């Protein structure tokens, strides 16, 4: 069988609620780049691929297509009948190859030269991506963790708040920095901040494109016109259907209180300085709490796990979230189920 390969793909390294959708839509507006909506196929199947035996390729293909069809992002090949997408996977014998085959089918359908892939926390599965990529390039974008935490807190469908966001930011940036040490000198690599992108989008995009071995196109600045259909599918994506919000930074000073800011800075301080983010508070300022553990307990007590505003979303949107999560959780549970059956036997 011929394993699918991605030719010079661009992979985005970025945390949730850090501008990843914005940058993805900017690149998708480039006339030579295909940037389909997020599908998270590489992330999900990197976790479970090893649990499919050689005799379970039909099940793997079925599960891959089920997850693809449950995604939130819009693709051109969504309009294809399922049988046509099944045919794309028939020549593939690995999870990575199947995901790559779907991305390649989308790129060809769009008539573009390169694919732009948005995934979350890709530092955790770089070998999985690299196994089906020829000359991949990477874009690393970071956002102020305090604004990221506020955005997470306000995100309807993301569970948790400031505590979970700060932990995720620190885990991701640590993983990304470690990955950059390996990527540097081996792969084309662009590094930018969300704030710099907002302040001077044309200059930052032009520099980013140059580092990726491609030319900047002014169409990248007019991304919102082509993103409205996707923005309408999810409340959390609504901003990508609007013109660039150049002042969308430093909002945490109005949205978070001193206790929450102190927590984010305490967790993220080791890497904030690396990216030029200056703490508002002194290093030992724990907002009146006697130790970090007491501060974390206080902030966590106020963080919502299930958010009331989630229930206010349209039923169809909530059903998409829940269906995707159910399918992902089923895939994660299957290995344990098979092992239990084997033990019983």
């Amino acid at each position: 069988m011929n394993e699918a390969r991605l030719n010079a793909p661009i992979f985005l390294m970025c945390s949730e609620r850090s501008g990843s959708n914005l940058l993805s839509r900017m690149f998708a507006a480039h006339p030579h780049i295909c940037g389909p909506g997020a599908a998270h196929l590489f992330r999900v199947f990197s976790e479970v691929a090893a649990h499919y035996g050689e005799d379970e390729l039909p099940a793997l293909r079925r599960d891959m297509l089920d997850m693809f069809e449950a995604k939130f992002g819009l693709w051109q090949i969504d309009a294809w009948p399922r049988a046509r997408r099944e045919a794309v996977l028939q020549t593939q014998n690995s999870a990575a190859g199947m995901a790559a085959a779907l991305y390649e089918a989308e790129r060809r359908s769009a008539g573009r030269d390169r694919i732009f892939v948005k995934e979350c926390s890709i530092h955790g599965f770089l070998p999985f991506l690299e196994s089906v990529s020829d000359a991949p390039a990477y874009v690393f974008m970071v956002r102020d963790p305090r604004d990221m935490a506020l955005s997470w807190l306000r995100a309807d469908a993301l569970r948790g708040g400031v505590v979970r966001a700060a932990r995720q930011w620190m885990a991701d940036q640590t993983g990304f920095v470690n990955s950059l040490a390996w990527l540097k000198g081996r792969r084309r690599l662009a590094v930018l901040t969300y704030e710099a992108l907002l302040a001077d989008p044309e200059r930052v995009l032009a520099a980013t494109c140059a580092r990726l071995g491609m030319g900047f196109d002014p169409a990248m600045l007019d991304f919102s016109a082509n993103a409205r259909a996707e923005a309408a599918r999810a409340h959390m994506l609504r901003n990508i259907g609007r013109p660039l919000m150049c002042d969308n930074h430093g909002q945490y000073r109005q949205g978070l209180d001193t206790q929450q800011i102190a927590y984010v800075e305490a967790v993220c301080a080791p890497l904030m300085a690396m990216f030029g983010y200056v703490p508002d508070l002194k290093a030992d300022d724990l907002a009146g709490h006697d130790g970090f553990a007491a501060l974390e307990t206080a902030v966590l007590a106020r963080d919502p796990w299930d958010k009331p505003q989630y229930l206010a979303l349209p039923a169809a949107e909530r059903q998409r979230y829940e269906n995707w999560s159910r399918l992902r959780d089923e895939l994660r549970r299957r290995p344990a189920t098979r092992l239990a059956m084997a033990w019983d036997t």
Side-chain angles (χ1 to χ4, degrees):
M1 293 187 179
N2 296 320
E3 202 73 46
R5 308 287 300 177
L6 301 177
N7 182 36
I10 302 168
F11 293 114
L12 175 59
M13 309 175 80
C14 191
S15 297
E16 287 273 13
R17 313 310 300 167
S18 295
S20 59
N21 291 312
L22 169 64
L23 192 61
S24 296
R25 294 308 93 210
M26 286 176 159
F27 270 89
H30 193 291
H32 296 296
I33 301 295
C34 174
H40 303 303
L41 298 177
F42 285 112
R43 175 163 63 96
V44 170
F45 284 91
S46 69
E47 299 176 8
V48 302
H51 301 288
Y52 289 87
E54 291 184 4
D55 60 338
E56 294 179 291
L57 285 178
L60 177 57
R61 294 187 185 106
R62 179 199 65 222
D63 293 343
M64 180 72 67
L65 288 176
D66 286 347
M67 286 300 301
F68 174 82
E69 291 168 2
K71 69 189 182 327
F72 261 80
L74 293 175
W75 291 38
Q76 290 195 16
I77 65 172
D78 291 339
W80 291 5
R82 182 176 171 111
R84 187 175 176 185
R85 291 192 292 272
E86 286 176 343
V88 168
L89 302 187
Q90 286 303 313
T91 59
Q92 306 303 310
N93 60 5
S94 73
M98 291 178 194
L102 289 170
Y103 275 98
E104 270 295 285
E106 178 69 6
R107 183 191 64 78
R108 290 193 299 270
S109 179
R112 304 295 177 89
D113 301 324
R114 299 175 72 177
I115 194 83
F116 186 97
V117 180
K118 176 211 165 180
E119 287 275 9
C120 296
S121 304
I122 70 170
H123 55 82
F125 50 94
L126 274 180
F128 195 75
L129 294 173
E130 292 257 334
S131 70
V132 290
S133 300
D134 296 323
Y138 294 84
V139 180
F140 168 53
M141 184 167 73
V142 62
R143 184 184 190 182
D144 188 316
R146 295 159 295 192
D147 278 325
M148 180 267 207
L150 175 61
S151 182
W152 190 300
L153 183 65
R154 290 175 171 173
D156 309 305
L158 286 179
R159 285 177 161 159
V162 171
V163 170
R164 192 177 184 201
R167 290 173 178 173
Q168 189 65 53
W169 188 94
M170 191 60 185
D172 278 342
Q173 291 1 283
T174 300
F176 291 145
V177 168
N178 291 337
S179 298
L180 294 180
W182 183 86
L183 292 170
K184 191 173 182 180
R186 293 183 172 90
R187 301 286 185 262
R188 287 188 176 273
L189 175 65
V191 178
L192 65 148
T193 68
Y194 176 73
E195 294 77 19
L197 178 65
L198 296 186
D200 196 345
E202 183 170 349
R203 180 187 64 80
V204 171
L205 285 173
T208 299
C209 287
R211 293 189 183 100
L212 299 176
M214 54 182 281
F216 165 76
D217 192 286
M220 299 176 77
L221 299 173
D222 192 27
F223 64 92
S224 60
N226 296 322
R228 288 171 188 153
E230 193 163 32
R233 282 172 59 85
H235 194 250
M236 289 202 306
L237 299 179
R238 61 191 180 279
N239 286 343
I240 64 172
R242 304 169 180 169
L244 191 65
M245 301 167 63
C246 297
D247 62 346
N248 192 27
H249 59 88
Q251 302 297 320
Y252 71 89
R253 293 190 176 97
Q254 290 75 48
L256 299 181
D257 60 29
T258 301
Q259 190 178 81
Q260 293 168 318
I261 293 172
Y263 179 78
V264 176
E265 292 185 355
V267 172
C268 303
L271 288 181
M272 283 178 62
M274 177 183 292
F275 302 116
Y277 299 122
V278 179
D280 284 357
L281 307 175
K282 294 181 180 179
D284 59 352
D285 189 343
L286 297 178
H289 291 276
D290 185 18
F292 174 79
L295 173 62
E296 182 172 69
T297 298
V299 175
L300 189 59
R302 299 163 52 206
D303 273 350
W305 185 249
D306 292 310
K307 298 175 181 176
Q309 64 264 36
Y310 175 71
L311 297 177
L313 293 176
E317 186 173 340
R318 283 186 281 115
Q319 186 175 5
R320 284 197 296 271
Y321 281 123
E322 289 160 14
N323 185 45
W324 187 90
S325 297
R326 176 184 57 79
L327 288 171
R328 178 204 58 195
D329 292 344
E330 286 178 359
L331 291 179
R332 288 173 171 173
R333 285 195 297 266
R334 282 180 185 177
T337 302
R338 281 200 290 270
L339 288 173
M341 292 173 61
W343 181 261
D344 290 342
T345 302

